[in-house]
Amino acid sequence: LEEAASSANPRRALLACGAGDRVYLEAPRKDIYEFTAVYRWQEAYSERSNANSHDPPTVGANAGHVRNVDESVTLENALWTDSVIASGTAVAVVVHVGLETRASMNASVAETKTGKLELELNNLSKLLFVALALFSMVLTLLRGLHGDWWLYFFRYMLLLSYIIPISLRVNLDMAKLVYAYMMEHDQSISGCVVRSTDFPEELGRVSFLLSDKTGTLTQNEMSFRKLHLGFTMFSRENIDDIRTYLLEALPQGLRTSFRANPDALAESALAAPASEKF
């Protein structure tokens, strides 16, 4: 192993590794911050001729015995997939390939984005199909379960199939194209580019817009910067103004108690039912 590590020639380094060398490692997993393995190779040595001698055993090609030597392999000795060596060379043993690599195991499958309107249409279609089956079954029972009654059941299904509006989804897809065209040519939002026509109608259903900074948070903390209400913008310097507006929205009898304990104002607002919040 020392010969392989010190060799400047990659071919000689590979030849220094014996055929009996083995790598024992953990099962594939997603964690990229830990790696545990053992590299085992065979080392030739000879026993001491005198049992009372304190000389170490002879190690080398002329030795007569072979023993296994284990070397710990940690994260510092690992190279992940697509790693690039800036300088020099490296002698490596490939231990995980394909879907067993940590890059593949951490890759997430892209989810198909579906708007609320699509989900509502799907639920409505399921409900109409159940109603269609029930109506067909009722008509079949009224006729009587004799003869080829199952054939009449499917006949009623075909006759009442117009209950499910198949053309509705086509009309909605065409309407989405019109929405995208109107949004891109709206003079009040000039420069708007519609990159997807999957759910442009969802913009009209947005009640709250919470935006994070671009990138990844170093710490899982977000501090208050600005609050936009209607046509008014509040910041840290306007905390007193926010408190004043909230107090003015309260009934006259509650203002005195909240002035004495300002913290109770926020607690009361969070605990109040949705119909009583201001």
Side-chain angles (χ1 to χ4, degrees):
L1 185 64
E2 294 179 356
E3 182 181 354
S6 60
S7 176
N9 189 340
R11 182 177 178 84
R12 291 186 57 190
L14 290 175
L15 293 176
C17 300
D21 295 0
R22 296 291 185 269
V23 178
Y24 301 91
L25 69 158
E26 58 189 6
R29 59 175 179 169
K30 295 182 178 181
D31 190 6
I32 63 174
Y33 299 105
E34 292 184 3
F35 182 79
T36 304
V38 174
Y39 179 76
R40 176 175 296 175
W41 79 94
Q42 293 181 346
E43 181 182 59
Y45 74 101
S46 61
E47 297 180 349
R48 294 188 298 266
S49 58
N50 187 0
N52 297 325
S53 175
H54 296 284
D55 296 333
T58 303
V59 178
N62 297 325
H65 300 274
V66 176
R67 64 182 177 184
N68 294 327
V69 180
D70 294 341
E71 182 74 19
S72 177
V73 180
T74 61
L75 184 63
E76 298 179 355
N77 310 112
L79 290 176
W80 302 136
T81 307
D82 300 331
S83 298
V84 179
I85 301 177
S87 61
T89 58
V91 179
V93 177
V94 179
V95 293
H96 292 310
V97 295
L99 298 178
E100 293 183 350
T101 60
R102 308 202 179 191
S104 300
M105 297 181 68
N106 284 284
S108 58
V109 180
E111 298 181 358
T112 303
K113 296 182 179 180
T114 306
K116 292 184 178 180
L117 183 60
E118 294 287 340
L119 297 177
E120 293 173 356
L121 286 177
N122 293 338
N123 294 331
L124 181 60
S125 299
K126 296 175 183 178
L127 181 62
L128 292 176
F129 179 79
V130 173
L132 173 62
L134 290 177
F135 292 155
S136 301
M137 181 58 68
V138 170
L139 293 175
T140 304
L141 292 176
L142 292 177
R143 180 187 175 278
L145 299 177
H146 53 81
D148 297 333
W149 62 268
W150 56 271
L151 183 60
Y152 285 92
F153 173 77
F154 286 106
R155 286 181 178 179
Y156 293 134
M157 289 278 289
L158 293 176
L159 290 174
L160 301 177
S161 60
Y162 65 88
I163 294 178
I164 303 177
I166 302 299
S167 61
L168 177 61
R169 187 172 296 275
V170 179
N171 294 334
L172 287 177
D173 292 338
M174 296 180 62
K176 291 180 180 181
L177 296 176
V178 177
Y179 297 158
Y181 176 82
M182 296 177 63
M183 291 169 62
E184 289 186 341
H185 293 79
D186 192 347
Q187 298 299 327
S188 60
I189 51 175
S190 59
C192 176
V193 178
V194 179
R195 302 186 183 277
S196 175
T197 58
D198 292 337
F199 39 84
E201 74 283 351
E202 295 294 328
L203 294 176
R205 310 176 70 169
V206 175
S207 300
F208 301 96
L209 181 61
L210 304 177
S211 177
D212 190 8
K213 74 178 186 67
T214 303
T216 306
L217 287 174
T218 304
Q219 295 180 350
N220 191 18
E221 297 179 1
M222 296 183 66
S223 59
F224 172 77
R225 295 297 183 184
K226 293 182 180 181
L227 172 64
H228 187 273
L229 295 176
F231 298 96
T232 308
M233 182 77 71
F234 297 97
S235 61
R236 281 180 173 273
E237 292 75 14
N238 306 116
I239 294 296
D240 295 335
D241 297 337
I242 298 176
R243 184 178 290 108
T244 301
Y245 292 144
L246 291 176
L247 288 175
E248 291 178 355
L250 292 174
Q252 184 65 31
L254 298 177
R255 295 182 184 179
T256 304
S257 59
F258 282 128
R259 290 182 187 276
N261 187 9
D263 295 336
L265 178 61
E267 298 176 0
S268 176
L270 293 175
S275 59
E276 299 179 4
K277 290 184 179 180
F278 39 83

